[in-house]
Amino acid sequence: MTLVLSFACHGIAVQVADRLVSQQRGRAISPLDQIANKLLIYRARDAIVSMGYAGQAFIGEIPTDEWIAQLLSGEPNVRGPDDSGGVRMGRTANNWDIGKAVRAIGEQLPPCIAAGQTIYISVVGHQFNRHGMVRPLLYELTLRRDQVDKFYQSPRHWRAGAGCVSSIGVEIGDQERERILTHLCDAAPQLTHDEIAEFLTATIRKHEQPGVGPHTSAVIIPLPGSAPVRSKFFANAPHHILIRSPQTDLRLETGYSPWVIGPGLIKPPTADVGGMIFDAGGIEIACEGGPPPTRGILGAMGSVDRFKLPPHLRR
């Protein structure tokens, strides 16, 4: 099990998830993939959102986030030839609005869920129209085999100062959700976007237990057009990649960023040094990585291989 926390109000939406996929044998829970990706940034025709999931981590042998990326993009293999492709530019098959995208998940994912399993989906971000009107949005779905067990959609009209908190995965209780909402809405001075992400990360770590990991990823979605959407990696210990060359080997601190799906863009999960900015239908997506070296290169980005599911867990 995992924990995904989402917050939305006028002007900002933030989603944070731990990055641990675990396995359970009897009563024992042990780590399976300690940097598993559970978020996805999606540029719909009328919205920019982050999608997080909890529950069943694989659809067949494909990670659940990758299955969702395939559905949203309309591409049968979002990783490219031999599962080794990088960032892909060019028109994607689908160009859905956010309502159609959420409905497609609710209709097409349940038949793929194993008997007795559950997948929770949280979608948070901003929706806009051609007249320049922008509103926050939040969806929450609970999906079981061949059925939608729960569906929540935030109101169309939000009163001034209103906020909304979603938690999926590990149950944290109504009092904890109210505490989170009060802290984020009533803080004085108002919290910065990074401080919101850091607070949600600290909250997830407070609820750490077998199945909830200490490393988190955050997606920060400011008011469209005001600043880039950002993905950030929060680790409780540094992670590194090794870049080899004939002259020297570079061991660099790295961060991780999730799938980015948009019109003309498919970016798989990557390990990032420095950072890179992508255009997703006129909205900038900044994937922030570890600090670049003081000399030599400005940054680096490489695709993260799909986790190979052990044979005893394949469905």
Side-chain angles (χ1 to χ4, degrees), residues 76-132:
N77 185 358
V78 284
R79 286 187 176 269
D82 303 319
D83 292 337
S84 59
V87 178
R88 296 163 62 185
M89 305 288 189
R91 187 171 181 175
T92 52
N94 292 338
N95 184 23
W96 292 339
D97 61 47
I98 189 59
K100 183 172 183 178
V102 172
R103 287 194 301 272
I105 292 172
E107 292 168 359
Q108 298 188 42
L109 185 51
C112 302
I113 299 174
Q117 295 292 312
T118 305
I119 295 180
Y120 307 87
I121 304 287
S122 178
V123 181
V124 65
H126 299 290
Q127 187 175 21
F128 38 80
N129 61 27
R130 62 181 181 275
H131 304 298

Side-chain angles (χ1 to χ4, degrees), residues 61-265:
E61 297 182 28
I62 299 177
T64 299
D65 61 290
E66 185 169 334
W67 189 97
I68 295 172
Q70 288 183 179
L71 174 67
L72 296 177
S73 66
E75 300 293 334
N77 185 358
V78 284
R79 286 187 176 269
D82 303 319
D83 292 337
S84 59
V87 178
R88 296 163 62 185
M89 305 288 189
R91 187 171 181 175
T92 52
N94 292 338
N95 184 23
W96 292 339
D97 61 47
I98 189 59
K100 183 172 183 178
V102 172
R103 287 194 301 272
I105 292 172
E107 292 168 359
Q108 298 188 42
L109 185 51
C112 302
I113 299 174
Q117 295 292 312
T118 305
I119 295 180
Y120 307 87
I121 304 287
S122 178
V123 181
V124 65
H126 299 290
Q127 187 175 21
F128 38 80
N129 61 27
R130 62 181 181 275
H131 304 298
M133 299 295 291
V134 181
R135 67 183 179 96
L137 65 84
L138 192 149
Y139 292 91
E140 195 174 294
L141 296 83
T142 302
L143 308 175
R144 304 184 195 277
R145 179 75 173 175
D146 293 326
Q147 67 174 330
V148 178
D149 196 54
K150 173 185 174 184
F151 181 89
Y152 168 81
Q153 180 180 357
S154 58
R156 178 171 294 275
H157 301 290
W158 292 51
R159 61 177 175 80
C164 188
V165 166
S166 164
S167 67
I168 59 172
V170 170
E171 178 54 50
I172 63 174
D174 291 339
Q175 286 187 336
E176 177 70 344
R177 280 186 286 271
E178 186 63 32
R179 182 191 73 86
I180 294 170
L181 184 61
T182 300
H183 179 83
L184 294 178
C185 289
D186 296 348
Q190 188 175 16
L191 298 178
T192 67
H193 299 173
D194 282 3
E195 286 172 340
I196 294 173
E198 289 164 2
F199 173 75
L200 294 178
T201 286
T203 302
I204 288 174
R205 289 176 176 165
K206 186 180 73 172
H207 290 276
E208 186 180 342
Q209 54 182 279
V212 178
H215 313 305
T216 70
S217 278
V219 175
I220 300 169
I221 307 177
L223 198 68
S226 64
V229 174
R230 292 185 293 136
S231 71
K232 291 178 66 71
F233 176 62
F234 293 92
N236 70 342
H239 289 60
H240 296 87
I241 59 172
L242 184 65
I243 299 178
R244 295 187 179 276
S245 71
Q247 290 77 31
T248 185
D249 291 342
L250 290 176
R251 186 172 182 267
L252 304 174
E253 186 175 343
T254 187
Y256 296 92
S257 57
W259 287 97
V260 180
I261 303 295
L265 173 64

